[in-house]
Amino acid sequence: MKQRNTIQKRLVLEAVAALLNHPTADDVYQRIAMNHPNVSRGTVYRNLNALVQCNTLLKISMPDAADRYDIDTHLHYHLKCKNCGEFLDIELPEMAEMLSKIEDKSGFLIDRFDLVFKGICADCREKQIVQDNTSKL
Amino acid sequence: MKQRNTIQKRLVLEAVAALLNHPTADDVYQRIAMNHPNVSRGTVYRNLNALVQCNTLLKISMPDAADRYDIDTHLHYHLKCKNCGEFLDIELPEMAEMLSKIEDKSGFLIDRFDLVFKGICADCREKQIVQDNTSKL
DNA sequence: GTGGCTGCAAAATGTTTGCACGGAT
DNA sequence: ATCCGTGCAAACATTTTGCAGCCAC
């Protein structure tokens, strides 16, 4: 169960750190392939999983899209703009209270949930409004 | 854009209604295939999508698993037991407040999010505790 | 030296799609 | 008569895996 320090694992971790904005496995693979074309996709996936396992990376499950990875493993949440694709972090301390409310209600002991909010970011909303007004002229 | 009334679409809707507990596309296909082996998987998927589109069904995106479908389209949430697989509904009226809090914080206009809580249900917890005590004897 | 890690390719999984035909409107 | 929906199979996207050799420990 002890993990070895391979060059490939280091490359994967470096790539996730370098690629801001929560890269997908393929983003990581592409980035590594630039300088190390012999590293295989399977190895990238295996190392991503291993790093998630040992809590060095966080896996963000994306419905209807490839999963993403985050170097920031502290408890936080994500927002994705459907328009420009921006993907950003959000703190939600009030979520803890919600969870205990759910546990009380259901009798469940919750140990994980995946949560990505999708919508339109402030910038895109502004542009949209400007566009709407323009089209009225 | 007008949808036609085909036998296949009726079969899909009937199957989702008959299969309680939020069936997957394959559950629906299997059920229909029992009596109508000529209906194809593609048709089941296309009809499920069409029914979601017109708000007759709700699609529940499941991370790391096949998506599920729900005849109950009113706003509610889901809990899945990792132990026995039970999948049940939960009402969370307080989620609305959380959403407006997020919109205020982020400037996003949120239009969807998928949320399935995973944990251990009350029954399984009880059994687990009994088992733990037994093993101490 | 040994056993985990790698590269490669194949497979698994879940879902969509191109096409020619058939059926609902 | 239109043209949307169907069955079929192939394609797709993402991820996992079997295997033989390699390398970190």
Side-chain angles (χ1 to χ4, degrees):
Chain A
M1 195 59 76
K2 177 89 168 296
Q3 286 195 20
R4 287 187 184 172
N5 276 330
T6 61
I7 297 163
Q8 291 86 346
K9 175 173 294 176
R10 186 174 48 78
L11 288 172
V12 166
L13 192 51
E14 282 175 5
V16 176
L19 293 164
L20 310 168
N21 227 34
H22 318 80
T24 63
D26 196 60
D27 292 337
V28 173
Y29 170 71
Q30 296 296 342
R31 162 130 192 147
I32 294 175
M34 288 185 340
N35 299 317
H36 303 83
N38 49 322
V39 173
S40 74
R41 249 191 196 81
T43 296
V44 170
Y45 275 100
R46 274 186 285 227
N47 277 308
L48 285 170
N49 284 338
L51 290 165
V52 168
Q53 210 68 45
C54 71
N55 248 296
T56 306
L57 291 180
L58 181 73
K59 180 175 184 167
I60 312 168
S61 284
M62 301 288 297
D64 305 316
D67 293 341
R68 290 161 172 257
Y69 296 87
D70 198 339
I71 346 107
D72 182 358
T73 58
H74 99 275
L75 185 63
H76 66 291
Y77 303 88
H78 298 96
L79 289 156
K80 179 172 168 50
C81 179
K82 292 178 120 170
N83 190 241
C84 66
E86 191 185 13
F87 194 88
L88 49 82
D89 297 310
I90 185 171
E91 303 291 331
L92 285 179
E94 43 276 287
M95 202 67 203
E97 200 188 327
M98 167 86 60
L99 277 185
S100 57
K101 204 167 282 179
I102 296 167
E103 292 190 330
D104 288 351
K105 253 188 214 185
S106 65
F108 263 64
L109 181 69
I110 295 168
D111 66 23
R112 83 164 284 179
F113 61 100
D114 301 285
L115 187 44
V116 176
F117 297 95
K118 290 170 199 155
I120 312 292
C121 71
D123 280 5
C124 287
R125 284 172 74 184
E126 205 170 320
K127 280 176 203 151
Q128 191 62 50
I129 291 163
V130 170
Q131 207 176 310
D132 285 354
N133 287 339
T134 307
S135 67
K136 275 180 210 155
L137 295 176
Chain B
M1 193 61 74
K2 176 88 166 298
Q3 286 195 21
R4 288 186 182 172
N5 276 329
T6 62
I7 297 163
Q8 290 84 345
K9 175 172 293 177
R10 185 173 49 76
L11 289 172
V12 167
L13 192 52
E14 283 175 3
V16 176
L19 294 163
L20 310 168
N21 226 35
H22 316 81
T24 63
D26 195 60
D27 293 337
V28 173
Y29 170 71
Q30 296 297 342
R31 163 131 191 147
I32 293 174
M34 288 184 341
N35 298 317
H36 302 83
N38 48 322
V39 172
S40 74
R41 249 190 195 80
T43 295
V44 170
Y45 275 100
R46 275 186 286 229
N47 277 309
L48 286 170
N49 284 338
L51 290 165
V52 168
Q53 210 67 47
C54 71
N55 249 297
T56 306
L57 291 180
L58 180 74
K59 180 177 183 167
I60 312 169
S61 286
M62 300 289 296
D64 306 316
D67 294 341
R68 290 161 171 258
Y69 296 87
D70 198 338
I71 345 104
D72 182 358
T73 59
H74 101 275
L75 185 63
H76 66 290
Y77 304 87
H78 298 96
L79 289 156
K80 180 172 166 50
C81 178
K82 294 177 117 170
N83 191 241
C84 66
E86 191 185 12
F87 194 88
L88 50 82
D89 297 310
I90 185 171
E91 303 291 330
L92 285 179
E94 43 275 289
M95 201 69 205
E97 199 188 328
M98 167 88 56
L99 276 184
S100 56
K101 204 167 282 180
I102 296 167
E103 291 189 331
D104 288 350
K105 254 189 212 183
S106 65
F108 263 63
L109 182 68
I110 294 167
D111 65 25
R112 84 164 282 180
F113 61 100
D114 301 284
L115 186 43
V116 176
F117 298 94
K118 291 169 199 156
I120 311 292
C121 72
D123 279 4
C124 288
R125 285 172 74 184
E126 204 169 323
K127 279 176 204 152
Q128 191 63 51
I129 290 163
V130 170
Q131 207 175 314
D132 285 354
N133 287 340
T134 307
S135 66
K136 274 179 210 156
L137 296 177

